[in-house]
Amino acid sequence: MNSSVIIFPGSNCDRDMDVALKKFGFKNKMVWHDDDKLPKSDLIVLPGGFSYGDYLRCGSIAGKSKIIQSVIDFANSGGLVLGICNGFQILTETGLLKGVLQQNKNIEFICKNIFIKINNNENKFFSNIEKNVLELHIAHNEGNYFCSEDELKSLEDSNQIAAYYCAPDGKIDEKSNPNGAIKNIAGIFNEKKNILGMMPHPERMIDQYLSGEDGSIFFENLIRNLK
Amino acid sequence: MKIKVIVTLKSGVLDPQGKAIQQTLNGMGFANVKDVRQGKYFDLDISENDEQKAKFAAEEICKKLLANQVIEDFKII
C-alpha cells in the first residue's frame, strides 16, 4: 500500500506520521506543498503542525497551496484522505469537510491523552477495528469543532461523525470534552466516508514503552482494510 | 486603490478571546463593559482605479480567503 504525507512549511507531525505509516507496512512518500502532482497513493495524509504559522486562520493558507488541488481531485475521485489535527483544520478550510475548528473554549493550548469513541465503523478507516474506545493524544489550540445547526443535523443524519471525545469507559459526557467541541465531536467524515479529519493523533500512540498502542490499532486496522 | 476590510465573528459564535478581554476590562475597573467581540482588520492595496472593480475584487478575496463564512462575516469599507 502506498501512502503520501504532505509537508507544509510549519508541519511538525509529518515525520512521526511517516514513521507510523512505515511501521505498519505502508510504502510512504513525503510530498512538498509546492509540488503539483501526487505520487500514486492509496492514502494521502495531511499531518499535524502549524502550517504557515497558523496565519490568518489555522489551515487557511495551506488550504490554498499548490498541492491542494491534487488532494481535492484525489479525494473527489474517492481516494482515502486522512487529516490529523492541523490536517483536519486544512480539510475544513478547503471545504472537503464541513464546519470549522475554533479556538479551544478555555483559551488554552491542550496537550494530553484523551479517549475517543468511534461512532461509525462502516468505512475504510474503522471497519473491523478491535476496540471502539481508543486512548489517543491531543495537542492543539484550535480543536473546538463548530458547525451550524443545519450542518450538524446533516452530519448526524448521514452518519458523518467519526468519533466523539469520551470517558475511558466510552461514556460521552461534558466532562470528557477537552476543548468545547460541539457534541464532543473529535472527528468527522465527508459524506462518502473516504475523507477523515480528526484532532487526536494516532501516530503518537504507536510505541509500547513511550505512549500506548491504541494508535497502532488504528494503523494496523487501516492497512488491513486497504489490502 | 486602498480598500479596508473588517472580518468579525458571526453573532452567536463563541469568542473566547473577546470574553477574556471583557473579563479583564471588568477586572481593571471598566465595570460597564458588557461584551467584547474580537475581529480582524485588513488594508488591501489593489492596483485598480475603478472603485467598483476594486470593491468587487475585495469581495471575492474575502469570500475565498480572508473570511471563513461558516463563522465569520466581512465588511468592506
Side-chain angles (χ1 to χ4, degrees):
Chain A
M1 289 294 127
N2 296 306
S3 59
S4 299
V5 173
I6 315 287
I7 313 170
F8 300 97
S11 295
N12 64 8
C13 301
D14 45 321
R15 282 187 287 176
D16 290 26
M17 185 56 80
D18 180 55
V19 169
L21 290 165
K22 285 174 177 164
K23 181 171 181 178
F24 299 102
F26 282 94
K27 281 188 192 136
N28 188 52
K29 285 198 173 134
M30 307 302 274
V31 179
W32 185 234
H33 69 102
D34 211 25
D35 292 349
D36 51 8
K37 283 209 181 79
L38 289 167
K40 195 175 172 308
S41 311
D42 303 292
L43 171 74
I44 301 292
V45 183
L46 305 182
F50 302 85
S51 59
Y52 297 88
D54 279 350
Y55 292 172
L56 188 62
R57 293 178 309 275
C58 304
S60 62
I61 310 281
K64 310 291 176 200
S65 60
K66 209 165 162 189
I67 194 71
I68 282 296
Q69 194 51 50
S70 299
V71 175
I72 293 172
D73 293 344
F74 177 82
N76 286 340
S77 64
L80 276 201
V81 177
L82 171 65
I84 301 295
C85 195
N86 189 226
F88 184 12
Q89 294 162 344
I90 295 167
L91 287 173
T92 62
E93 280 288 343
T94 59
L96 285 172
L97 292 178
K98 284 180 185 157
V100 60
L101 282 312
Q102 278 197 285
Q103 188 175 38
N104 297 337
K105 198 174 172 183
N106 60 8
I107 338 180
E108 280 176 0
F109 186 93
I110 306 169
C111 181
K112 65 174 187 180
N113 286 5
I114 47 83
F115 291 86
I116 58 164
K117 182 166 194 194
I118 296 160
N119 181 53
N120 178 347
N121 294 72
E122 289 165 15
N123 53 77
K124 286 267 166 60
F125 295 99
F126 295 129
S127 80
N128 305 314
I129 198 159
E130 57 199 77
K131 271 167 82 176
N132 257 332
V133 175
L134 300 178
E135 182 179 13
L136 297 176
H137 190 78
I138 55 167
H140 59 243
N141 194 51
E142 284 86 4
N144 177 358
Y145 183 76
F146 177 84
C147 62
S148 69
E149 296 255 316
D150 291 348
E151 282 175 328
L152 180 63
K153 192 173 180 307
S154 100
L155 286 176
E156 286 172 334
D157 289 350
S158 48
N159 213 359
Q160 282 173 255
I161 298 171
Y164 297 101
Y165 297 109
C166 68
D169 64 0
K171 195 172 158 223
I172 300 159
D173 53 15
E174 186 55 39
K175 236 172 46 194
S176 314
N177 186 341
N179 51 28
I182 193 166
K183 296 263 180 174
N184 281 40
I185 290 175
I188 59 165
F189 295 109
N190 63 331
E191 213 163 323
K192 287 185 184 159
K193 321 289 186 298
N194 61 309
I195 308 172
L196 168 64
M198 63 179 190
M199 291 314 294
H201 291 266
E203 78 280 11
R204 293 190 185 184
M205 306 297 269
I206 58 162
D207 187 290
Q208 60 170 317
Y209 300 115
L210 285 176
S211 53
E213 291 192 289
D214 281 5
S216 309
I217 294 173
F218 172 79
F219 287 107
E220 277 166 354
N221 185 62
L222 177 59
I223 194 158
R224 231 181 359 244
N225 286 345
L226 289 179
K227 274 179 183 164
Chain B
M1 165 137 236
K2 296 210 166 153
I3 302 278
K4 299 178 196 308
V5 171
I6 293 177
V7 175
T8 50
L9 283 173
K10 287 185 175 170
S11 62
V13 173
L14 189 74
D15 180 7
Q17 291 188 82
K19 186 87 192 149
I21 294 165
Q22 182 236 327
Q23 285 168 352
T24 304
L25 289 171
N26 291 161
M28 288 164 72
F30 297 101
N32 53 359
V33 179
K34 277 161 58 185
D35 193 20
V36 176
R37 306 283 286 170
Q38 184 175 308
K40 292 172 189 156
Y41 169 80
F42 302 88
D43 265 328
L44 303 178
D45 194 352
I46 299 175
S47 53
E48 182 63 71
N49 295 324
D50 182 331
E51 189 181 341
Q52 280 306 103
K53 280 186 185 166
K55 287 197 167 168
F56 183 75
E59 195 171 328
E60 286 297 293
I61 288 166
C62 288
K63 284 181 186 163
K64 288 188 176 160
L65 184 67
L66 298 186
N68 181 333
Q69 292 185 281
V70 177
I71 50 166
E72 293 171 328
D73 288 326
F74 63 86
K75 211 181 283 176
I76 295 165
I77 48 177

